[in-house]
Amino acid sequence: MPLRSIKNSLKEKGVRLTRQRQILLDLIDSSGQHLDAEQLYKLARDKDPGINRVTVYRTLKLLKETGLVDELDLMHFEGDQHYYETRLKQEHAHVICLSCGKVEEFFGEPLYRLRHQVEKSLGYQVVIARTEIGGYCSHCRAVRARELEEARIGSPAQPEPKRRATTQR
Amino acid sequence: MPLRSIKNSLKEKGVRLTRQRQILLDLIDSSGQHLDAEQLYKLARDKDPGINRVTVYRTLKLLKETGLVDELDLMHFEGDQHYYETRLKQEHAHVICLSCGKVEEFFGEPLYRLRHQVEKSLGYQVVIARTEIGGYCSHCRAVRARELEEARIGSPAQPEPKRRATTQR
DNA sequence: TTTTTTGCAAACAGTTTGCAGCACA
DNA sequence: TGTGCTGCAAACTGTTTGCAAAAAA
C-alpha cells in the first residue's frame, strides 16, 4: 500500500491529516527501517521541534487501529518498546539475530500456507499474522566459531558474546 | 519436555530448586492456559502467601533465559503483559480471536517449513520462532452476521462489538 | 558455611489520560 | 466555526534493581 493510499484511507475515515501526522507517516514510510516511538519522536522533532511525544503515541495508536501500520516486537531484543512499519509490502516474517540484533525479512510461501491453513482448519477469518524468529545469523556464527577455535589453540577462556547491540538506543 | 526434565535441567545448571520456583513451575506446567505474571503471582500466593511478585518476575526471567518457558504476547489483546508456557509441545502458533479473546493453538507443517526455509535461505541457526495470528473465530463471525441480519430487518444501527473480553483481568 | 535466592522498597521504561487551548476542514 | 487534535503535566502498568536477611547446597 503506497503512502498516498494510506493518506486517502485516513481522509475517508474523517481523520484529519495534520502537520504532525504527515510528518510521522512520512517517517515511518520512508525510513525503510523499523523505528520505535522514541526514535520516531526524535526524528519528528527535527522537522517540527514543537511536536510532543504524546502525539507520536497517539498517532501510532491511530494508525495501528486503522490497520495502516503494523506493530512489531522484534523479539524484545532491545527492550520492551514496539516498532512500526507501514503495511505496504507482502506478508513477511521478521528474523532477528540474537547476537548482533540485525533484523531481516523473510518472504515466502510457508507464510501463506500457514494463513490459509489457519483459516481452513480453525475456521478463522485472519486479520493479522505476525511471525518473529530469533536465531544466529551466519556472520555471528562464523565469528563465534573463530573465537572458539582461537581459544582452543592458545589463550584461556573468552568472554561471552554481548547480548545487546551497542549501536542502538 | 516433561516437567521433570525441566527440573533436572535446572539442577544441572546449578540453579536451586526453591519452594517458590517449584510452585511457579508447577503452575505454568499444569495450568494448560497461558498465564501472565500477575495471574501466576496470585495463584502462587494461594500456595505460599508470603511469595513476592518480584520473585515471580525473577523466576520467569530465569526460565525464559534458560529456554525452558516461552514468552508470548498474544497480540496484546488484553494489555501489554506477557504470557508464559512451558516448552513441552511441538512448535505451534497462537491464534487469537480479536473479538472474544479466545486463544487456540495451531500445529502444522507450514511452521516447520518456515523454520527450515529461514535456516536455509537466510543462513540462520533458528533458536526460537513465535507466530501469533489475530482474526475472528467462527463463533464470533456467526454472531456478528446474525446481528447484522437482525439490524437489516428491523431495528436501527447496532453498537460495535466490544473490543475486550469481559471475563478476564 | 558459602553462595544463591528471597522479600521489601524504590526506581524505572514505555505508554496513556485529563484537560485547556489550538488548528484543521 | 465547530469539532477534532495537540501539548502539557501527571498518572499508570508492567517490570527491574539494590540491599540486607533467609535459605539452599
Side-chain angles (χ1 to χ4, degrees), chain A residues 112-157:
Chain A
Y112 298 100
R113 294 209 186 199
L114 178 61
R115 191 186 191 106
H116 293 142
Q117 285 205 18
V118 166
E119 296 188 323
K120 241 174 61 180
S121 70
L122 299 184
Y124 268 67
Q125 176 191 347
V126 171
V127 173
I128 182 171
R130 177 153 82 210
T131 298
E132 303 196 339
I133 294 179
Y136 296 99
C137 70
S138 46
H139 177 256
C140 286
R141 280 193 295 137
V143 169
R144 182 74 183 139
R146 194 154 48 72
E147 280 175 2
L148 286 173
E149 181 62 14
E150 281 166 8
R152 200 180 60 76
I153 297 170
S155 39

Side-chain angles (χ1 to χ4, degrees), chain B residues 3-18 21-22 25 62-63 66 68:
Chain B
L3 185 55
R4 278 192 45 204
S5 14
I6 290 187
K7 292 187 177 173
N8 286 336
S9 162
L10 285 175
K11 249 179 209 158
E12 278 163 26
K13 287 179 182 155
V15 171
R16 292 182 184 172
L17 209 38
T18 61
R21 285 177 184 165
Q22 292 257 16
L25 226 26
L62 176 81
L63 295 172
T66 48
L68 300 173

Side-chain angles (χ1 to χ4, degrees), chain A:
Chain A
M1 189 193 286
L3 185 55
R4 277 192 45 205
S5 13
I6 290 188
K7 293 186 178 173
N8 285 337
S9 163
L10 285 176
K11 249 177 210 162
E12 278 163 27
K13 286 177 185 156
V15 172
R16 291 184 185 170
L17 209 39
T18 61
R19 182 171 33 86
Q20 293 89 332
R21 286 178 181 165
Q22 292 257 15
I23 293 175
L24 289 168
L25 226 27
D26 289 343
L27 283 173
I28 299 173
D29 186 63
S30 67
S31 91
Q33 305 162 63
H34 304 101
L35 302 170
D36 64 23
E38 190 63 21
Q39 292 170 316
L40 281 166
Y41 169 56
K42 286 179 179 155
L43 289 171
R45 246 185 352 194
D46 295 343
K47 303 196 182 177
D48 173 358
I51 201 168
N52 193 279
R53 188 180 271 106
V54 172
T55 301
V56 176
Y57 280 105
R58 277 195 281 231
T59 302
L60 290 173
K61 196 178 181 188
L62 175 82
L63 295 173
K64 188 172 52 176
E65 280 169 3
T66 48
L68 300 174
V69 308
D70 282 332
E71 190 179 66
L72 315 172
D73 293 339
L74 301 183
M75 277 337 231
H76 296 305
F77 179 78
E78 282 293 316
D80 282 350
Q81 68 281 57
H82 296 123
Y83 300 86
Y84 299 87
E85 68 179 9
T86 48
R87 242 198 208 189
L88 24 67
K89 289 190 286 201
Q90 306 164 63
E91 186 157 350
H92 56 280
H94 292 97
V95 186
I96 301 98
C97 176
L98 300 174
S99 177
C100 69
K102 175 172 59 187
V103 178
E104 299 189 56
E105 296 180 340
F106 173 84
F107 298 83
E109 212 200 337
L111 292 167
Y112 298 100
R113 294 209 186 199
L114 178 61
R115 191 186 191 106
H116 293 142
Q117 285 205 18
V118 166
E119 296 188 323
K120 241 174 61 180
S121 70
L122 299 184
Y124 268 67
Q125 176 191 347
V126 171
V127 173
I128 182 171
R130 177 153 82 210
T131 298
E132 303 196 339
I133 294 179
Y136 296 99
C137 70
S138 46
H139 177 256
C140 286
R141 280 193 295 137
V143 169
R144 182 74 183 139
R146 194 154 48 72
E147 280 175 2
L148 286 173
E149 181 62 14
E150 281 166 8
R152 200 180 60 76
I153 297 170
S155 39
Q158 293 293 109
E160 280 291 299
K162 287 204 306 294
R163 217 212 122 225
R164 291 176 179 280
T166 47
T167 50
Q168 290 154 296
R169 244 203 192 191

Side-chain angles (χ1 to χ4, degrees), chain A residues 75, chain B residues 6 25 28 33-36 40 60-74 82-92 94 115 127-132:
Chain A
M75 277 337 231
Chain B
I6 290 187
L25 226 26
I28 299 173
Q33 306 163 61
H34 304 101
L35 301 169
D36 65 23
L40 281 166
L60 291 172
K61 197 180 180 187
L62 176 81
L63 295 172
K64 187 172 52 174
E65 281 169 2
T66 48
L68 300 173
V69 307
D70 281 332
E71 191 178 67
L72 314 172
D73 291 341
L74 301 182
H82 295 122
Y83 300 86
Y84 299 88
E85 70 180 6
T86 49
R87 241 198 212 189
L88 23 68
K89 289 189 284 199
Q90 305 164 65
E91 187 158 349
H92 57 279
H94 292 97
R115 191 186 192 105
V127 173
I128 183 171
R130 179 154 80 209
T131 298
E132 303 196 338

Side-chain angles (χ1 to χ4, degrees), chain B residues 87-150:
Chain B
R87 241 198 212 189
L88 23 68
K89 289 189 284 199
Q90 305 164 65
E91 187 158 349
H92 57 279
H94 292 97
V95 186
I96 301 98
C97 176
L98 299 174
S99 176
C100 69
K102 176 170 60 187
V103 178
E104 300 189 56
E105 296 179 341
F106 173 84
F107 298 84
E109 213 201 339
L111 292 167
Y112 298 100
R113 292 211 188 200
L114 178 62
R115 191 186 192 105
H116 294 141
Q117 284 206 18
V118 167
E119 297 188 323
K120 243 175 58 182
S121 72
L122 299 184
Y124 268 68
Q125 176 191 348
V126 171
V127 173
I128 183 171
R130 179 154 80 209
T131 298
E132 303 196 338
I133 294 179
Y136 296 99
C137 71
S138 45
H139 177 256
C140 286
R141 280 193 294 137
V143 169
R144 182 73 183 138
R146 194 156 46 72
E147 280 177 2
L148 286 173
E149 183 60 16
E150 281 167 9

Side-chain angles (χ1 to χ4, degrees), chain B residues 16-17 37 54 57-58 61 81-82 169:
Chain B
R16 292 182 184 172
L17 209 38
V54 172
Y57 279 105
R58 278 194 283 232
K61 197 180 180 187
Q81 68 280 58
H82 295 122
R169 244 202 191 191

